[in-house]
Amino acid sequence: MKPTITPIDATFGATVANIDLANLDDATWKIVEDAFHTYAALVFPDQHLSQEAQVEFSSRFGDIELLRDDPNAKAVPISNQNPDGSVLKPDESRFKSLRGNEGWHIDSTYMPLAAKAGVLSAITVPPEGGETELPDMRAGYDALDEATKTRIAGLSAYHSLYQSQARLGHIVQSGTSYGYHNKGAPLRPLVKTHPVTGRKTLYAGRHAYRIPGLDDAEAEALLEELLEFTCQAPRIYQHKWTPGDLMIWDNRCIMHRARPYDFNQPRIMQATRISGDPASELAATGQDDRASGFEPSATNR
Ligand code: OGA
Ligand code: MN
């Protein structure tokens, strides 16, 4: 059985059918890996993978990032439902993390080692909303005018989860959980060269917040402008989930966000994340002395 790869109507992305991710031979894996590099995001309908099968498939791409301070947290539910079936309340911290996912982001850029890829599969989806949207930051970079390309060429931004969650009024306790950086926020170039394809790509999102050499208002305006410019057709794909779908995106060149939905409806997704390669995804450690103590504010990028 050979997979059928159908490009999505956007600058990136493909749907892969005629494949069983729970039983992947090496030849088929090679086709998947090549397609991942060519299309940067892949949708596999009708897979219904168990946690173990999703971890095994994800491990083909590299080391699995632990999504909590728990060696067993290789596949975690991204869910608004408690084990007893009740739905999270707005003041619960997990609810605030879910709301954070509704802002444009690249996974784990606030950690020293950013993610290589994100994998998400759908178990229970709400009748409306709850889609996942992905913009192509390579195409975003390519479409910039030359003056902007020149302006951003040497710039870097700090990335912090404390900062991005504070924008939602959520104060993440430092030192206790996932997302902790203790030596200043990671500093990452705004333009990244993809380690496999060599393509240049914008690299920012909601965790990015301050640019050395620019004053804060100017940095904020620039980050905002780059996001707004990038996140438009034909550079964007919105995935409407059907239970059993699995999607993988290349966090080195594709951003993403969840779309809102009625929070009284359960939405249960299963996530795995693949660690970046230290040669290309390890950040310089920033010296931002204001990296802690972020005040809650009302904006959400
Ligand atoms: C993630 C994420 C978005 C969604 O799993 O990293 O941001 O649609 N998910 O749930
Ligand atoms: Mn994410």
Side-chain angles (χ1 to χ4, degrees), residues 78 100-108 110 118 120 132 206-207 249 251 255-258 271 273:
I78 302 254
N101 279 348
E102 292 174 12
W104 293 120
H105 65 283
I106 304 168
D107 291 321
S108 312
Y110 47 81
L120 204 56
T132 302
R206 64 186 282 263
H207 306 305
W249 60 86
N251 264 312
M255 276 193 306
H256 60 284
R257 70 172 178 188
R273 197 171 285 166

Side-chain angles (χ1 to χ4, degrees), residues 153-171:
L155 299 180
S156 293
Y158 293 111
H159 290 243
S160 167
L161 182 68
Y162 305 132
Q163 173 276 145
S164 50
Q165 286 303 96
R167 284 171 183 269
L168 302 175
H170 179 205
I171 300 305

Side-chain angles (χ1 to χ4, degrees), residues 1-74:
M1 166 165 103
K2 209 167 177 277
T4 314
I5 300 175
T6 310
I8 283 165
D9 184 20
T11 53
F12 72 111
T15 300
V16 187
N18 210 17
I19 187 166
D20 177 8
L21 295 182
N23 291 289
L24 209 54
D25 60 45
D26 288 347
T28 312
W29 156 245
K30 182 78 181 92
I31 294 172
V32 171
E33 188 183 31
D34 288 348
F36 175 69
H37 292 139
T38 304
Y39 294 103
L42 301 174
V43 175
F44 301 89
D46 206 18
Q47 297 297 322
H48 302 274
L49 294 193
S50 66
Q51 284 205 10
E52 296 69 30
Q54 183 165 328
V55 168
E56 193 181 328
F57 170 65
S58 304
S59 303
R60 292 268 195 174
F61 291 86
D63 292 342
I64 303 292
E65 187 182 304
L66 297 179
L67 291 173
R68 284 196 298 267
D69 294 333
D70 168 359
N72 298 315
K74 289 189 168 177

